């Protein structure tokens, strides 16, 4: 079976977009396929886009093949894909694992409304917890290097007592934040990618919310991550994130379906980048 995907990123948070209207896939194939494609093409996850009962929908599978409820930057990329291919409007809605989300585009800039802040709790002076579609711990501190953030993030992400305390025994994403003159800087250790990513939309929103309480920073808040900046707004308890999205290229591959067991990615997914300006 031939599969086509588009490589995109939102502030460096990278995804392959698989359009299920063009490439219908069996549910059982998605876990193996997602893991294989994400590793081979070095992306943080795979976005499956489709229309279900007439409604645009997005599903996100992380690099390790697990499905997540939400992904802020992924939703921004999916929004741009829908706008450019199917929905010639600036404002519309997309169904996600975390419910219906309102989205808005302005050329390459995409804003998505993540909904109301949920489950906020201050754990101690340095640690806070916020649910913005997926669970996020926010650690307040000072400028941290990548290796330290990766090591600390990895141990906090599965720290049993912390995860149980915040009600998410499955694990949490970890954001290290510090205050800059005109913004906050963030390094996010992401569940499912199991590494620091270039940017995390839901993590940036959670971090901005915590910064507004701890540093009394006024919204809109600019967040700086390795891959770029996002603007976070807070309106009537609803958090929105806005920033640039990019196309990186088209990918074509072939798979034998259905999968019965995990297969080496290179076996069925040849590299055929055709970089273009889409
Ligand atoms: N990068 C995403 C967040 C993805 C969620 C995370 N990988 C998880 O599994 O919880 C974003 O932009 O929000």
């Amino acid at each position: 079976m031939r599969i086509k995907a588009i490589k995109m990123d939102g502030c460096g948070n990278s995804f392959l977009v698989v359009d299920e209207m063009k490439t219908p896939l069996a549910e059982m194939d998605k876990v193996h396929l997602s893991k294989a494609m994400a590793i081979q093409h070095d992306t943080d996850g795979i976005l499956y886009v489709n229309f279900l009962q007439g409604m645009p929908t997005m599903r996100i599978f992380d690099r390790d093949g697990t499905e997540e409820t939400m992904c802020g930057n992924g939703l921004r990329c999916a929004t741009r894909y829908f706008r450019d291919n199917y929905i010639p409007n600036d404002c519309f809605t997309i169904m996600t694992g975390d419910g219906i989300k309102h989205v808005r585009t302005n050329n390459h800039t995409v804003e998505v409304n993540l909904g109301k802040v949920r489950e906020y709790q201050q754990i101690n002076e340095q640690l806070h917890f916020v649910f913005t579609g997926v669970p996020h711990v926010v650690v307040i501190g000072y400028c941290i290097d990548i290796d330290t953030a990766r090591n600390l993030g990895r141990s906090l992400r599965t720290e049993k007592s912390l995860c149980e305390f915040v009600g998410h025994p499955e694990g949490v994403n970890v954001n290290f934040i510090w205050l800059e003159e005109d913004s906050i800087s963030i390094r996010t250790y992401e569940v499912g990618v199991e590494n620091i990513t270039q940017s995390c939309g839901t993590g940036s929103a959670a971090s901005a919310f915590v910064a507004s309480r701890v540093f009394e920073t006024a919204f809109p808040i600019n967040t700086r991550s390795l891959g770029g900046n996002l603007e976070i707004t807070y309106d009537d308890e609803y958090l929105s994130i806005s920033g640039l999205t990019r196309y990186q290229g088209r990918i074509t591959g072939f798979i034998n379906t259905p999968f019965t067991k995990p297969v080496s990615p290179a076996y069925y997914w040849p590299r055929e980048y055709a970089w273009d300006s889409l």
Side-chain angles (χ1 to χ4, degrees):
M1 178 186 194
R2 187 166 193 218
I3 296 194
K4 290 183 174 181
I6 306 270
K7 191 169 180 184
M8 296 186 75
D9 81 87
C11 290
N13 208 184
S14 56
F15 308 95
L16 290 181
V17 180
V18 177
D19 184 335
E20 289 199 83
M21 278 149 310
K22 296 180 178 156
T23 307
L25 289 163
E27 202 53 35
M28 63 178 291
D29 290 338
K30 286 184 186 150
V31 171
H32 298 322
L33 183 64
S34 302
K35 194 172 170 181
M37 286 198 297
I39 290 171
Q40 186 165 5
H41 295 284
D42 197 21
T43 62
D44 299 321
I46 309 293
L47 305 171
Y48 293 96
V49 296
N50 205 344
F51 280 89
L52 295 179
Q53 292 172 335
M55 175 112 198
T57 59
M58 177 202 83
R59 289 173 68 188
I60 163 80
F61 282 66
D62 278 333
R63 188 182 168 92
D64 66 358
T66 55
E67 182 169 10
E68 286 309 326
T69 44
M70 243 315 275
C71 175
N73 283 327
L75 182 60
R76 295 192 315 101
C77 291
T79 299
R80 178 140 174 228
Y81 182 85
F82 275 118
R83 195 271 318 264
D84 291 348
N85 291 279
Y86 296 106
I87 308 173
N89 299 329
D90 287 340
C91 296
F92 52 99
T93 53
I94 299 181
M95 175 62 86
T96 72
D98 190 45
I100 294 172
K101 303 295 173 191
H102 293 265
V103 300
R104 181 159 50 182
T105 67
N106 179 5
N107 204 3
H108 298 179
T109 300
V110 179
E111 179 179 6
V112 299
N113 187 329
L114 297 175
K116 286 198 176 189
V117 172
R118 285 157 278 169
E119 303 177 32
Y120 170 69
Q121 48 178 311
Q122 177 162 6
I123 301 160
N124 62 31
E125 220 170 274
Q126 231 193 335
L127 287 184
H128 297 245
F129 176 80
V130 193
F131 188 89
T132 48
V134 285
H136 282 281
V137 162
V138 178
V139 186
I140 314 259
Y142 298 95
C143 181
I144 188 170
D145 65 76
I146 304 283
D147 289 338
T148 312
R150 186 183 298 113
N151 291 336
L152 277 175
R154 189 170 287 146
S155 58
L156 280 175
R157 171 247 181 288
T158 47
E159 167 64 40
K160 199 163 176 276
S161 54
L162 172 68
C163 296
E164 277 173 3
F165 183 77
V166 298
H168 288 271
E170 74 279 12
V172 293
N173 297 281
V174 184
N175 304 268
F176 299 91
I177 73 166
W178 62 96
L179 193 57
E180 306 273 6
E181 206 172 298
D182 56 353
S183 58
I184 55 168
S185 279
I186 307 173
R187 301 290 177 267
T188 306
Y189 185 94
E190 270 193 43
V191 169
V193 181
E194 304 309 334
N195 211 337
I196 303 290
T197 53
Q198 293 290 301
S199 166
C200 176
T202 49
S204 299
S207 300
F209 179 75
V210 170
S212 74
R213 300 180 79 99
V214 175
F215 303 133
E216 294 181 357
T217 314
F219 283 101
I221 295 177
N222 289 314
T223 59
R224 293 166 66 165
S225 298
L226 294 166
N229 298 358
L230 287 169
E231 185 181 81
I232 317 296
T233 52
Y234 186 61
D235 190 11
D236 201 17
E237 295 179 30
Y238 286 80
L239 274 170
S240 293
I241 60 174
S242 174
L244 285 173
T245 53
R246 280 192 311 184
Y247 288 113
Q248 292 189 5
R250 297 177 201 276
I251 286 158
T252 311
F254 296 90
I255 56 166
N256 293 320
T257 54
F259 293 112
T260 46
K261 58 182 177 15
V263 193
S264 156
Y267 176 68
Y268 55 85
W269 194 258
R271 254 176 210 280
E272 285 185 27
Y273 283 115
W275 299 101
D276 60 23
S277 57
L278 293 175

